[in-house]
Amino acid sequence: MDEYFIIKSLHEAAKWGNLDKIKTLLSNNLSLKQRIDNPDDNGWTALMFAAKNNHGDVIEFLLENGAEPLLINQAGETAEDIAGQYKNLEICIAIRTCNKSKAKNDSINFFSHEPLQRCAERRNDKEWLECTMKTSDAKFILYNNLQPLVKENNDKTISIYRLLYSDVEDFIACGALVILLGSEKLIEENETGNNIWFGVNISHIGCGDLTTRFSGCKWLSKALPKQLMLVATDATIIGQGRSIFCWHRYNRFCSICGSSTRFKEAGYKLICSNEHCESHNGVHNVSYPRVDPVVIMLVISSDHNYCLLGRKIGFPDRMWSCLAGFMEPGETIDDAVKREVYEESGVIIDSVRYLSSQPWPFPSSLMIGCIAVAATRPDNTNLKIDRKELEDARWFTKEQANMALFPRHYKFVSDRIILPPSQAIAHKIIKNWLRIKPNL
Ligand SMILES: [Zn+2]
């Protein structure tokens, strides 16, 4: 059947509540699931037709099969808006529930998928570490100048080039630094068959060309687009190792007395070689890996209909994102959000809500994602933009944000803005704002 007629049939079946027809269409056209949201000339999707005509079973089926409830038609209405206009309250509840569940899934950010069990209790257990490294459970990632060894998959995604002890034994014998990254699950006593991950830094010993030794391997470029091609679970493991090795690199000398440092606790502590150094007494933040907290916030208007976005100097054309900035000592998260927003845009914030956080291993930031409600009206003429930080800042409507989040769906809109990709927490915060009315 012609593509136009397949979509038209889907829309007709959704309109009339013919669930059997929809199921038949999907089973006869396997790729239709990817186009389940294809709109008609007015931007109406199958979900919208079912919402208007109060077909709860069709709504449930479409949502289960990936229909996106955030999409809007050319009048700017979502399926939930349409259900509301026709007083189809059960449909509204079903869509809202779906949005909540999608928002919950979205709170797992890139670089934080299925993080490893850190096994901190094993870090001082030299015997266990040496033994485990030599078993087939041990998996190693090589790092050279903070670049991990990876391979490209057929679908263009990038994975860790998983190595065994026999692959890295000679590097370790030459003095490569080994850190314990963790276990894929909790380690029971004498348990086997559980991957235990180690990072191996060979930056200071050199390695020559590894491509003949490890077929298809390459060093992952530091450029961000490449990093975002990583398989999500691998990105988390790679990011953890990268931050630790970067911390080693920048702390080769004690920041209190200037003597050289060496690492302990499987890579998680640096100690000063000068036994009289003050750092040996008490807890000092020169001894433990640093994490740099960054607040990143979507500022929204008090009616929740507008958001404030900024353009950093050097952003690609039409690209906008959430405001963000490093926290300062002595600040709460709320204080940092309020200060950064005021400094960069002149907007005063009334209330702040934390959403989720994202480790960002370049080198070791922790992005703290928040939604912040402005105390003043969304007025572009009142913004006081810090031109040293931002090229521009501006208020945008929900519709503009929506069209930027689903660019393939709104191909007909030519002046769309561009938002950061789905791996960035800014993307998730903006989507969360559209999915759930913030309780602020
Ligand atoms: Zn010292």
Side-chain angles (χ1 to χ4, degrees), residues 254-261 271-274 276-280:
C254 172
S255 58
I256 294 180
C257 76
S259 304
S260 60
T261 57
I271 56 167
C272 178
S273 56
N274 169 11
H276 303 295
C277 177
E278 190 187 323
S279 66
H280 293 295

Side-chain angles (χ1 to χ4, degrees), residues 43-69:
W44 279 64
T45 63
L47 194 70
M48 293 173 190
F49 284 116
K52 177 180 174 183
N53 295 290
N54 205 16
H55 300 307
D57 53 348
V58 174
I59 290 282
E60 190 183 341
F61 180 81
L62 291 172
L63 291 174
E64 274 171 10
N65 281 279
E68 174 52 73

Side-chain angles (χ1 to χ4, degrees), residues 180-199:
L180 173 65
L181 293 168
S183 156
E184 286 182 10
K185 57 181 185 181
L186 278 175
I187 306 169
E188 304 293 337
E189 207 58 43
N190 301 323
E191 188 187 35
T192 57
N194 176 23
N195 286 336
I196 315 281
W197 284 89
F198 294 89

Side-chain angles (χ1 to χ4, degrees), residues 223-274:
L224 197 52
K226 279 284 177 197
Q227 302 275 343
L228 300 183
M229 293 300 290
L230 282 163
V231 171
T233 46
D234 285 9
T236 306
I237 301 173
I238 280 178
Q240 183 188 343
R242 189 183 193 283
S243 290
I244 294 284
F245 284 132
C246 191
W247 173 64
H248 289 176
R249 175 191 253 198
Y250 294 159
N251 292 275
R252 289 184 297 134
F253 300 97
C254 172
S255 58
I256 294 180
C257 76
S259 304
S260 60
T261 57
R262 60 191 165 83
F263 79 64
K264 278 180 64 175
E265 298 186 8
Y268 290 78
K269 184 173 184 182
L270 285 174
I271 56 167
C272 178
S273 56
N274 169 11

